[in-house]
Amino acid sequence: CTSLLSIDLAEKSFDLAENSFDGCTNLVLEASPIDNTMLQSVLKSGASIIKIKLTDNAQIGNIEALTAPDTIDYIEINGNQAVLNNVHIISKAKETVLLHMTLNYSNNATGVQLYSDNITLFELTVNMNGEGGNAMQLFSESANVTVRGNVSLNGGNGKAESGIGLIANDISISSKASDSMLAKLTVKGGKGADGANGSNASGDGENGTDGKAGSVGSVGLVANNITTDNVTVTVIGGTGGNGGYGGSCNPNLSITGDKEYAGDGGKGGNGGVAVNAISIKVNGGSFSAEGGNGGDGGARGGYRGDYNNKYGVRGKYGEGGEGGDALNSDCVIVDEYSALIQTKGNDGNTSTDTNGK
């Protein structure tokens, strides 16, 4: 098909042959439900401009990944307010537009991977709800990102090295002049893993073990050089994981004649750095970098049974983790601008609880 300029495929099941629309300028898929066969057919059709729109009450069947090849000049995916679960988006198109959808992931693979130089994000939310997982990664050496409406990228909890909200090389973030007051990008790193709890003494005359420290919160945004213009950007480092509780002891003077000791509470993990970058330049709008809060310390170990602390020694309360920094220490602020706000995270709380008496 080299003569067609546009074709609309609406609400019909089909399976196109590969490159069947090679040379077609504009191919539109607007259907409900959309199954994997229909979707893959469109993506491999050979059309240079592809627009995928879900209709009202759209259903997504058996789709695990939406992969756009580099033969596509422009791809637009309009979720029409849909909530999609575990549908990974990978686009190598020259330009990618994602709008009006919420993407939830229960695994730790990166949710959205974009190789495009030009990207538009419009009313988009990405939530990594599994153990770890980066919300979005941009692979272009220099990505131009236009933000419209509220865009939220939330890294997964539990793994500091893979709970990042946004990863990029050089990135320019801006808005359209007509809606700059409404354009807001929020990026959050995931919470660090909680420390393992100490073991309670399994019998009389034994000591409890210490709780483990929580891990550091994830970085919110990792990039080389960041430039923003007429957009509100908020980046928040992940909260540190909480310390595990100390194990309790079980003193019994009639058996050992000695004191037994409970474990100490684990230290809370430090909060994650909000932004790890070579440089930041804010041309307009505002940029707020907020370090993650430290995790809370774990409860101290106490003692069990009817014996007072003459024979059982409680552990130490777990200390709270330190709040994370707004920026990495060697980040350069280019043409320092008053709208770049840096806030260190709050320290976590030292525990006042006891595991046992």
Side-chain angles (χ1 to χ4, degrees), residues 26-29 39 42-43 48-54 66 68 72-79 91 93 95-101 120 122:
N26 195 354
L27 187 59
V28 179
L29 172 61
L39 182 62
V42 169
L43 294 173
S48 59
I49 298 175
I50 294 177
K51 299 178 182 179
I52 298 171
K53 182 179 180 181
L54 308 181
L66 191 158
I72 298 174
D73 290 336
Y74 175 96
I75 186 166
E76 178 182 302
I77 305 171
N78 186 343
S91 177
E95 182 173 357
T96 299
V97 178
L98 305 177
L99 63 157
H100 298 308
M101 57 184 159
T120 297
F122 188 0

Side-chain angles (χ1 to χ4, degrees), residues 105-108 127-135 154-165 188-196 213-219 237-242 269-270 272:
Y105 299 95
S106 59
N107 50 45
N108 60 9
N127 296 316
M128 306 304 295
N129 298 322
E131 184 178 355
N134 303 319
N154 304 301
N157 297 330
K159 286 190 176 180
E161 70 279 6
S162 64
I164 300 168
K188 295 181 180 180
K191 180 180 179 291
D194 292 339
S215 65
V216 65
S218 297
V219 179
T239 300
N242 296 325
N270 294 337

Side-chain angles (χ1 to χ4, degrees), residues 1-7 23-27:
C1 171
T2 57
S3 58
L4 286 176
L5 293 179
S6 178
I7 187 168
C24 179
T25 302
N26 195 354
L27 187 59

Side-chain angles (χ1 to χ4, degrees), residues 292-347:
N293 294 330
D296 292 336
R300 67 178 180 177
Y303 52 90
R304 294 177 292 160
D306 297 326
Y307 308 97
N308 61 36
N309 61 3
K310 178 179 179 181
Y311 305 115
V313 180
R314 297 184 179 96
K316 298 177 181 178
Y317 290 118
E319 298 178 352
E322 297 177 3
D325 292 329
L327 309 175
N328 55 298
S329 60
D330 54 351
C331 179
V332 176
I333 301 173
V334 181
D335 299 331
E336 187 166 354
Y337 185 59
S338 60
L340 175 57
I341 302 170
Q342 302 179 50
T343 306
K344 184 177 176 62
N346 296 319
D347 292 343

Side-chain angles (χ1 to χ4, degrees), residues 177-262:
S178 59
D179 57 11
S180 61
M181 295 296 293
L182 303 176
K184 297 179 180 180
L185 172 64
T186 303
V187 182
K188 295 181 180 180
K191 180 180 179 291
D194 292 339
N197 295 323
S199 298
N200 295 326
S202 59
D204 293 333
E206 295 184 4
N207 297 327
T209 62
D210 295 341
K212 301 297 183 182
S215 65
V216 65
S218 297
V219 179
L221 168 58
V222 177
N224 291 332
N225 301 295
I226 303 169
T227 303
T228 67
D229 192 7
N230 293 321
V231 63
T232 299
V233 177
T234 302
V235 184
I236 304 172
T239 300
N242 296 325
Y245 63 67
S248 61
C249 62
N250 194 5
N252 189 330
L253 184 62
S254 64
I255 293 178
T256 66
D258 296 322
K259 289 186 177 181
E260 280 76 46
Y261 296 84

Side-chain angles (χ1 to χ4, degrees), residues 101-160:
M101 57 184 159
T102 296
L103 302 171
N104 294 326
Y105 299 95
S106 59
N107 50 45
N108 60 9
T110 298
V112 180
Q113 302 178 55
L114 304 179
Y115 293 76
S116 309
D117 290 336
N118 297 304
I119 298 164
T120 297
L121 307 177
F122 188 0
E123 294 291 343
L124 173 74
T125 298
V126 180
N127 296 316
M128 306 304 295
N129 298 322
E131 184 178 355
N134 303 319
M136 180 178 289
Q137 184 166 1
L138 310 182
F139 291 90
S140 171
E141 290 301 316
S142 182
N144 299 304
V145 179
T146 300
V147 174
R148 303 192 65 186
N150 291 312
V151 175
S152 182
L153 308 176
N154 304 301
N157 297 330
K159 286 190 176 180

